[in-house]
Amino acid sequence: MISEVKPDPTRFILIGTSHPGNVGATARAMKVMGFSELVLVRPRFDDVLIQEETVALASGAADILVRARVVSTLEEALDGVTYAIATAMTPRDFGPPTITPREGLAALAAAEPVHKVGFVFGSERHGMANEDVYRCHAVMSIPTNPAYGSLNLAQAVQVLAYEWRQALGGFPVEARTPDAELASAQAVQGALEHWQQALIDIGFLDPDAPKKLMPRLNQLLNRAELRQEEIHILRGIAKALTDRCRSKTP
């Protein structure tokens, strides 16, 4: 059963985006985490939402692009947002507090009343201007390798979309195949009897001095928690051994 998508309390805002592929990849990153609201502020290309590269990189998230808005100012993009998060470095002189994705977003998700959150991303080349950062309630810093912390725009969107979805409760992981049927104790005993005869036929088990071989094998199979299909495999191997031995008997 497909999990119900939880209400979307989130807006992703891209300022001055220059590469159409990043817009498409952002839409894909959003949709896979259950988010849908995308706003572009002064993108480099006016038709970026319908460019071939944008649609190709969206890879099935064209509905995000269709609903996306293009505005002229960050003020317009933040209309209705109650908690804006800048994805930039905090200005040197002063600015909003810096938070990390895991701890900061967990606290934000637990806040009452529930916020309309806006994640704000700057352009690929210049990032966010200080004036735009000042409009935000917090600055989000993604922990990265100190020697190389450069993230592609769409990669950063994916990281934060994942962390925010997890903070909101996440989606359950659903098995693609049903659980296999466990073998019954009776089925295990049947396989052991089959193997006992095969081991006798190949000369591995002396029926006059069996020692503890079969009880040990019994314990081994119990620990393995065999599936019914695996019982069939073991019995098939035992049968093949027996048939081979008997075919060679004069």
Side-chain angles (χ1 to χ4, degrees):
M1 184 177 73
I2 298 176
S3 300
E4 180 181 354
V5 176
K6 300 177 182 179
D8 181 0
T10 314
R11 181 179 300 163
F12 287 82
I13 301 168
L14 308 183
I15 302 174
T17 310
S18 59
H19 298 292
N22 277 332
V23 176
T26 289
R28 180 178 185 178
M30 290 169 56
K31 184 168 184 176
V32 80
M33 287 295 118
F35 301 116
S36 60
E37 191 174 354
L38 174 63
V39 178
L40 307 182
V41 180
R42 302 183 308 276
R44 180 180 179 185
F45 303 106
D46 293 337
D47 64 345
V48 66
L49 291 171
I50 59 174
Q51 287 193 18
E52 182 177 352
E53 185 179 358
T54 306
V55 176
L57 269 293
S59 188
D63 55 318
I64 305 292
L65 301 177
V66 169
R67 292 194 298 267
R69 294 185 292 124
V70 177
V71 299
S72 300
T73 66
L74 179 58
E75 182 179 5
E76 294 175 83
L78 291 175
D79 183 30
V81 169
T82 62
Y83 197 93
I85 300 175
T87 56
M89 295 183 66
T90 305
R92 291 182 181 277
D93 48 0
F94 74 98
T98 299
I99 61 176
T100 58
R102 191 138 311 171
E103 294 78 12
L105 295 182
L108 183 59
E112 292 289 346
V114 176
H115 281 289
K116 174 70 174 183
V117 176
F119 290 102
V120 186
F121 299 81
S123 68
E124 296 92 336
R125 185 174 180 182
H126 301 293
M128 290 181 64
N130 285 352
E131 291 73 18
D132 292 334
V133 176
Y134 295 147
R135 290 179 177 272
C136 298
H137 298 79
V139 170
M140 180 68 69
S141 179
I142 298 174
T144 56
N145 178 2
Y148 187 75
S150 177
L151 273 175
N152 168 268
L153 171 58
Q155 291 174 334
V157 171
Q158 184 71 83
V159 170
L160 295 190
Y162 171 80
E163 291 289 351
W164 182 225
R165 177 52 67 193
Q166 292 304 105
L168 293 173
F171 295 120
V173 175
E174 299 175 356
R176 297 177 67 89
T177 55
D179 290 338
E181 179 187 358
L182 287 173
S184 67
Q186 182 180 16
V188 171
Q189 290 306 310
L192 281 169
E193 291 172 6
H194 212 154
W195 267 91
Q196 180 174 358
Q197 184 58 56
L199 294 174
I200 291 172
D201 289 344
I202 65 175
F204 188 86
L205 173 63
D206 183 353
D208 295 326
K211 299 182 180 179
K212 300 291 184 181
L213 177 59
M214 297 315 297
R216 289 184 183 279
L217 287 177
N218 199 154
Q219 289 295 297
L220 173 62
L221 296 188
N222 286 347
R223 289 196 303 273
E225 296 185 347
L226 296 171
R227 275 48 175 173
Q228 189 61 45
E229 293 85 351
E230 293 164 342
I231 289 291
H232 294 325
I233 293 171
L234 290 176
R235 297 195 70 155
I237 295 171
K239 182 178 185 302
L241 289 172
T242 298
D243 290 347
R244 176 64 63 88
C245 289
R246 292 177 180 177
S247 67
K248 293 182 177 180
T249 302

